[in-house]
Amino acid sequence: MNYRQLTFSFLLSIALASTACASGKNAEEISINQSTKNEGNTYTVASIAEFNALKLNPGDKVIFKKGIWKDQQINIKANGTQEKPIVVTVEKAGETFFTGHSNLKIDGNWLTVDGFVFKEGYSEKADVILFTKNASNSRITNSAIINYNHPDKTFDYKWLSLNGENNRVDHCEFTGKTHQGTTLVVWLAEKPNYHQIDHNYFGPRPALGVNGGETIRIGTSTWSMHDSYTLVENNIFDKCDGEMEIISIKSGHNTINNNLFYECDGTVTFRHGNNNTVSNNYILGNGKKNTGGIRVIGENHKVFGNYLQGLDGSGLRAGISLMNALEQPQLHEYWRVINPEITNNIIVDSKEAINIGSGKNTTRVLPPKGGFLQHNDIVNTRTVIKIEDQPEGTIIDNNRTDAASLPTGFVKLGTDLVKSDGIWQRKNEVKTPFWKKEKIGPVWDTAKKDF
């Protein structure tokens, strides 16, 4: 440690000791330890006043003491570096809770928040967890928001809002939202934000009964022609019934890959924006009412490698639904499906596998145009394909089904599907589903979830 660092540590120790004495604490109760690994200090704090007194530098670590933290507004405003991130964590994950009207703001670069659990309360106005516009390369992990509901179900706040750039939400849990507002929102700006949302458990959310109950929304109608480049991968969505759109994509160049949607009343929806991908997901309805698959609106979307099983929905909630559009839509309305690529999906034991021209009415008069629907397998499904409106120039061929009557563009299914881990897979592409081999949700949560 050089002279400047020694001087800083000494002065900071004096400042913290003064703060402790002012709050009735002994100086010894605030732990300040030097950490050689990150060349920063480690602080253990027992009050928000102690935390606010800190001036954090790259490599520093803050530990919130185990226990109940009620009505705390935590604002982490600091800047680490890639080599020396600042870490804010808790003494005992799973035994440290933020209750009452607590919330968290992440406002800086290269910050990591670990182990924060919000429950037994609700926010009075602000989002529960907010990444500000100044947040970049920051992360929340191993954390949770559980049943953190305002008593007025019409009260709108988001459980987590992502602004800034290159931020990550991983190994967290979000369960039981019952009031108005999307669970997790990615907000857009002039530049793409490149966020990552992975290995999270999104637990049951009951039907809200009105619009605004999405589990994830990426963008807004107003900003929908901007690109986000957000990646949503390796998450579990368990009975997320808030509204018809489980994930609502309202921007461009996003990827929804390798997630499990389990008995969710709704669909993964390309609502606005272009050039998005939904790939390699597992959508298991198990015959639950209104379970749907993937709904396509807009241009140049790719839907491939998905496994859809036991879906009850039809029309807009079919396994794969390509909607009709308005002739001159506003940003918030229905844009034409152009050049979709629908390939190598497997749809099993469902009511209606594919619907083209869904939502057709007196105003939605433009059918899908261009693109192709190829190499998809439809097994034991009541309706293989329903054409609500004839597509223009869309290639439909080399699809396979075991149906007695073969629709145009379909051939007889062979014997190249095998069942492994309860899922039908192609013989040369068998793999273990991610949730059977990876930890999803917080590390401290040992409750077994059977899927």
Side-chain angles (χ1 to χ4, degrees), residues 381-414:
T381 291
R382 189 182 310 170
T383 300
V384 175
I385 184 168
K386 185 173 183 178
I387 308 294
E388 305 270 7
D389 203 355
Q390 194 65 39
E392 297 180 5
T394 303
I395 298 171
I396 304 176
D397 66 3
N398 291 314
N399 301 288
R400 298 170 290 270
T401 182
D402 62 349
S405 177
L406 297 176
T408 301
F410 284 79
V411 298
K412 197 66 177 176
L413 181 69

Side-chain angles (χ1 to χ4, degrees), residues 42-288:
T42 295
Y43 307 97
T44 299
V45 297
S47 73
I48 199 66
E50 293 175 12
F51 175 75
N52 290 338
L54 300 176
K55 301 298 182 183
L56 298 174
N57 292 292
D60 285 351
K61 181 178 183 179
V62 181
I63 302 170
F64 280 65
K65 293 194 74 171
K66 183 176 70 173
I68 305 299
W69 293 69
K70 186 177 181 181
D71 298 333
Q72 304 296 315
Q73 280 67 56
I74 306 146
N75 184 5
I76 306 173
K77 189 175 180 65
N79 292 294
T81 65
Q82 183 173 6
E83 296 77 18
K84 300 178 183 179
I86 294 170
V87 177
V88 180
T89 187
V90 297
E91 185 176 21
K92 185 70 174 178
E95 297 182 22
T96 306
F97 304 111
F98 297 86
T99 67
H101 305 308
S102 299
N103 53 35
L104 167 67
K105 185 183 293 184
I106 299 171
D107 186 22
N109 306 310
W110 298 104
L111 305 174
T112 294
V113 179
D114 184 344
F116 278 52
V117 179
F118 294 84
K119 68 175 190 176
E120 297 178 6
Y122 58 90
S123 181
E124 294 183 295
K125 54 182 180 179
D127 297 339
V128 184
I129 300 173
L130 171 66
F131 285 75
T132 73
K133 294 179 180 179
N134 298 319
S136 67
N137 299 297
S138 291
R139 174 188 184 198
I140 185 161
T141 186
N142 200 33
S143 298
I145 306 175
I146 301 172
N147 300 322
Y148 209 67
N149 292 305
H150 197 284
D152 179 357
K153 292 186 183 299
T154 67
F155 200 86
D156 188 335
Y157 57 83
K158 282 59 177 173
W159 276 11
L160 193 151
S161 279
L162 269 174
N163 293 281
E165 301 175 6
N166 296 297
N167 297 311
R168 183 182 180 195
V169 179
D170 69 282
H171 295 92
C172 294
E173 176 176 346
F174 305 93
T175 292
K177 192 172 196 294
T178 60
H179 64 91
Q180 184 76 26
T182 306
T183 304
L184 189 159
V185 176
V186 173
W187 300 96
L188 302 184
E190 290 295 339
K191 297 191 300 181
N193 38 44
Y194 296 97
H195 296 313
Q196 183 171 332
I197 302 165
D198 65 283
H199 293 89
N200 302 290
Y201 173 74
F202 293 90
R205 178 174 186 180
L208 185 62
V210 294
N211 193 34
E214 307 97 323
T215 297
I216 292 179
R217 192 185 76 225
I218 307 173
T220 62
S221 299
T222 304
W223 286 81
S224 57
M225 294 305 160
H226 289 71
D227 292 332
S228 177
Y229 286 93
T230 289
L231 173 65
V232 180
E233 187 171 54
N234 294 356
N235 303 282
I236 292 176
F237 298 82
D238 180 10
K239 301 178 184 66
C240 294
D241 300 341
E243 66 152 73
M244 182 177 178
E245 298 174 14
I246 309 162
I247 295 182
S248 183
I249 305 171
K250 294 187 175 182
S251 52
H253 288 285
N254 301 289
T255 299
I256 315 299
N257 181 68
N258 202 41
N259 302 280
L260 168 63
F261 299 86
Y262 187 81
E263 297 183 1
C264 295
D265 175 353
T267 66
V268 178
T269 303
F270 297 91
R271 187 60 186 88
H272 302 302
N274 304 313
N275 303 296
N276 294 294
T277 297
V278 172
S279 55
N280 304 309
N281 299 284
Y282 302 83
I283 304 180
L284 309 182
N286 294 331
K288 178 181 170 181

Side-chain angles (χ1 to χ4, degrees), residues 296-299 322-325 335-340 367-370:
V296 182
I297 304 159
E299 302 182 13
L322 279 64
M323 283 195 68
N324 259 28
W335 289 68
R336 193 173 194 182
V337 176
I338 297 177
N339 296 327
K369 178 181 179 181

Side-chain angles (χ1 to χ4, degrees), residues 307-363:
Y307 180 79
L308 304 92
Q309 177 178 299
L311 303 181
D312 172 74
S314 58
L316 299 177
R317 296 175 186 259
I320 298 174
S321 167
L322 279 64
M323 283 195 68
N324 259 28
L326 302 175
E327 290 183 302
Q328 294 181 316
Q330 300 297 311
L331 280 175
H332 67 282
E333 295 178 321
Y334 291 91
W335 289 68
R336 193 173 194 182
V337 176
I338 297 177
N339 296 327
E341 298 181 12
I342 316 295
T343 60
N344 293 299
N345 302 285
I346 300 174
I347 306 176
V348 178
D349 299 334
S350 297
K351 181 182 291 185
E352 187 173 279
I354 298 168
N355 188 298
I356 296 180
S358 57
K360 178 184 178 182
N361 59 21
T362 56
T363 58

